[in-house]
Amino acid sequence: MKTIALTLLLLFTGVGASAERPNILFLAFDDLRPEIGAYGAPEAITPNIDQLAAESTLFNNAFVNYPLCLPSRASLLTGIRFNNRNFTGGDKKELYPAMLAMQTTWPAVFRDAGYWTATRGKLYHGNVPKEQRPAWDVPGQFYIVPQPYRIEPELKEKIVVQGGIQKDLDAFFEGKAGPGAVIYLSIDCEDNKLHDGAMADEVIGFIESERDKSKPFLISAGFTLPHLPWIAPKKYFDMYPEDAGELAPVPEGTERIIKKHDQRPISSNLWNEGLTDAEARRLKRAYLATTTYADAQMGRIIDAIKKSGEYDNTIIVLWGDHGYHLSEHGLWQKNKQYRVNMRCPLIIKAPGMPAGQVTNRVVQNTDLYPTLLALAGVEQPDDVVLQGKDLSPLLQDPDMDWPHVAHVACWSRYGINTEQYRFTDFGSGEYELYDITQDPDEWNNLADDPEYAQVINTFKKQLDEVTWNKK
């Protein structure tokens, strides 16, 4: 770690960048898959993320260890590979704090190293747990009034368009539905009247005045969008035509029935949640609109750093906590083993590093802990054992040899993602193997093809060698 930090410091100095320790801005998005212009999504309007990507390295094959907020964020913060099984032996609410307590998180390491630290919005799974608050000079709350999964009375009157599953809409307005409501609302209001706009205001306040400017900063801005329910100001819906929201292709002759192992008890088991294709397109349009709204708030934060004169000496990481189904295989959800659920956006800008790069090398959320330490020149504590890899070499050479794969889990299913394959072991003698280069939408399961028997055996052996932390 010391060698890497010295190398990076010399690199920064060599290109004329400040020799001061770099600041860090961590941008976390909830349920944002790579439905982003910079990733080639044709409909997405994301100018600020696209501009950041043009000045950064974009990771085209970034994956999370588990496609759900809680375990994904626990792994991000601790550098430990978690599934979502409760190892506390008690209340499920104890699980997340227990995960975080397994070793020192990187925010704590940075504060101990002399950084001024602040968080606002959703970095953790909800508010900062009390045991983690010492890691922050400002341990900002997740919720900001109005709460992201409810609607204030004065805003209810400003709703101009609403839709989604009717029973979810009814429950939402009765105060009985929350973050799982498959609905959308277009509201004629200013950006900061909704959660992500208000969060951005507070983060901008950190940057402009509410910090110790004698120290480098670590600031985390956690966006709730594009998590359900899809709520955004009207102007962002208006940026998309009424017929926007292209659905995923379905091979001709495919019966539109949700596979048994893809069904879930908390929602409809019907294709597209029982909605018509036209209604489903409106759902995707809403996802796009909320993504554009979050993109605009991110742009405001980055503009504030530019105005401060510290942009060139700031590491910026953009990360989504997992992928999401937007009609693929008839699904509108996360927490499935598909690649579209496991794959997440990841963009890293670092002082002195080349800009406008794309790497296809496979990386994971557990890699961010060692990467941040290396880029900032902060020593890894002796009692911290990280399961991820430092990605800074890929920022210098995105095409370098990188013999690493992504180890993933979902329910009792464990798998491996590579640049070519998605392999899943269901634990009951059932397997899935998809060649992503030939079948990106995962319709042709190769697991029973004798030609791929050796490939499956290799993946099975690799799975046996992987440690999942259950305490």
Side-chain angles (χ1 to χ4, degrees):
M1 184 71 72
K2 289 181 179 179
T3 300
I4 294 172
L6 178 59
T7 300
L8 290 169
L9 181 59
L10 292 172
L11 178 60
F12 298 161
T13 305
V15 297
S18 171
E20 298 176 358
R21 266 189 174 173
N23 304 305
I24 300 172
L25 173 65
F26 194 89
L27 303 162
F29 290 79
D30 206 357
D31 288 10
L32 176 63
R33 74 183 203 175
E35 197 72 23
I36 297 167
Y39 277 90
E43 294 184 289
I45 302 172
T46 51
N48 297 290
I49 298 177
D50 298 349
Q51 180 58 43
L52 177 63
E55 301 172 10
S56 310
T57 297
L58 181 149
F59 291 81
N60 199 39
N61 279 311
F63 297 92
V64 297
N65 56 288
Y66 198 103
L68 198 63
C69 301
L70 187 153
S72 175
R73 291 169 184 265
S75 291
L76 163 78
L77 289 161
T78 62
I80 294 174
R81 188 183 303 113
F82 288 112
N83 61 15
N84 199 38
R85 292 185 175 179
N86 192 349
F87 53 68
T88 65
D91 193 320
K92 183 75 171 179
K93 293 180 180 178
E94 300 174 1
L95 178 60
Y96 189 62
M99 287 176 169
L100 295 177
M102 287 190 67
Q103 70 179 3
T104 306
T105 61
W106 52 261
V109 173
F110 277 97
R111 193 178 189 206
D112 288 344
Y115 274 69
W116 184 87
T117 59
T119 182
R120 203 64 171 102
K122 188 176 180 181
L123 174 64
Y124 295 85
H125 191 249
N127 290 331
V128 181
K130 64 179 180 179
E131 298 83 1
Q132 300 298 320
R133 291 173 192 165
W136 301 96
D137 288 280
V138 182
Q141 292 182 317
F142 164 42
Y143 290 116
I144 304 173
V145 176
Q147 293 191 17
Y149 308 135
R150 299 180 186 174
I151 192 72
E152 298 298 307
E154 62 270 21
L155 291 179
K156 188 174 180 179
E157 299 176 357
K158 297 182 179 181
I159 296 172
V160 293
V161 178
Q162 64 187 48
I165 298 176
Q166 190 58 49
K167 65 179 180 64
D168 286 6
L169 271 172
D170 295 341
F172 182 80
F173 288 121
E174 292 172 4
K176 298 177 182 178
V182 185
I183 67 169
Y184 58 87
L185 305 176
S186 172
I187 304 179
D188 191 5
C189 67
E190 298 299 319
D191 287 9
N192 61 4
K193 295 300 182 182
L194 298 178
H195 182 275
D196 283 1
M199 183 276 294
D201 282 350
E202 297 202 11
V203 170
I204 290 169
F206 296 156
I207 295 166
E208 292 180 344
S209 58
E210 301 168 22
R211 61 184 169 99
D212 182 349
K213 294 188 178 182
S214 69
K215 298 179 179 181
F217 66 72
L218 163 62
I219 296 175
S220 171
F223 298 89
T224 61
L225 292 170
H227 194 293
L228 286 168
W230 293 319
I231 303 175
K234 174 180 180 293
K235 65 182 179 182
Y236 297 102
F237 279 85
D238 290 347
M239 293 172 71
Y240 292 91
E242 289 292 332
D243 60 350
E246 183 178 352
L247 302 182
V250 180
E252 186 176 350
T254 299
E255 191 174 10
R256 295 193 170 200
I257 296 177
I258 304 297
K259 295 179 182 178
K260 184 176 182 180
H261 61 235
D262 289 339
Q263 297 176 2
R264 60 173 179 166
I266 64 172
S267 183
S268 169
N269 293 324
L270 300 174
W271 190 273
N272 280 339
E273 302 286 342
L275 301 175
T276 66
D277 280 358
E279 292 169 328
R281 288 179 70 100
R282 287 192 282 272
L283 285 183
K284 186 169 181 181
R285 177 176 180 261
Y287 181 95
L288 292 166
T290 53
T291 298
T292 299
Y293 166 56
D295 172 86
Q297 309 320 304
M298 186 206 81
R300 293 172 56 220
I301 293 170
I302 290 180
D303 283 346
I305 294 180
K306 290 179 177 178
K307 290 177 183 177
S308 76
E310 298 178 272
Y311 183 73
D312 290 340
N313 194 42
T314 299
I315 297 165
I316 300 179
V317 177
L318 182 150
W319 175 74
D321 62 354
H322 48 71
Y324 204 85
H325 278 271
L326 294 173
S327 78
E328 290 81 7
H329 293 261
L331 302 172
W332 293 83
Q333 55 185 280
K334 50 199 172 185
N335 206 10
K336 297 300 177 193
Q337 73 280 353
Y338 292 91
R339 183 176 182 269
V340 74
N341 260 202
M342 297 290 184
R343 183 172 173 243
C344 69
L346 176 62
I347 297 170
I348 300 177
K349 168 197 165 296
M353 293 296 182
Q357 303 183 125
V358 175
T359 179
N360 289 315
R361 301 299 173 255
V362 172
V363 303
Q364 285 202 267
N365 50 340
T366 47
D367 297 332
L368 285 168
Y369 194 148
T371 302
L372 287 170
L373 294 182
L375 290 175
V378 172
E379 191 71 19
Q380 179 178 324
D382 292 337
D383 61 347
V384 168
V385 179
L386 300 175
Q387 295 180 325
K389 307 296 182 183
D390 170 18
L391 303 180
S392 59
L394 287 173
L395 302 185
Q396 300 180 64
D397 181 4
D399 297 319
M400 69 178 291
D401 184 43
W402 188 259
H404 305 298
V405 300
H407 297 100
V408 298
C410 184
W411 299 96
S412 60
R413 311 157 196 171
Y414 292 86
I416 291 175
N417 284 9
T418 72
E419 291 183 33
Q420 182 174 3
Y421 293 110
R422 192 268 286 179
F423 171 73
T424 302
D425 183 348
F426 283 71
S428 58
E430 180 184 357
Y431 306 100
E432 286 185 342
L433 178 70
Y434 293 94
D435 184 339
I436 301 301
T437 63
Q438 304 298 319
D439 180 24
D441 297 315
E442 299 181 326
W443 288 104
N444 183 26
N445 184 8
L446 304 171
D448 294 329
D449 188 333
E451 183 180 342
Y452 293 90
Q454 185 56 51
V455 174
I456 289 176
N457 286 334
T458 299
F459 283 141
K460 288 169 62 178
K461 290 178 181 178
Q462 290 178 348
L463 285 180
D464 291 339
E465 298 170 356
V466 177
T467 300
W468 285 87
N469 289 270
K470 305 172 186 177
K471 201 169 182 180

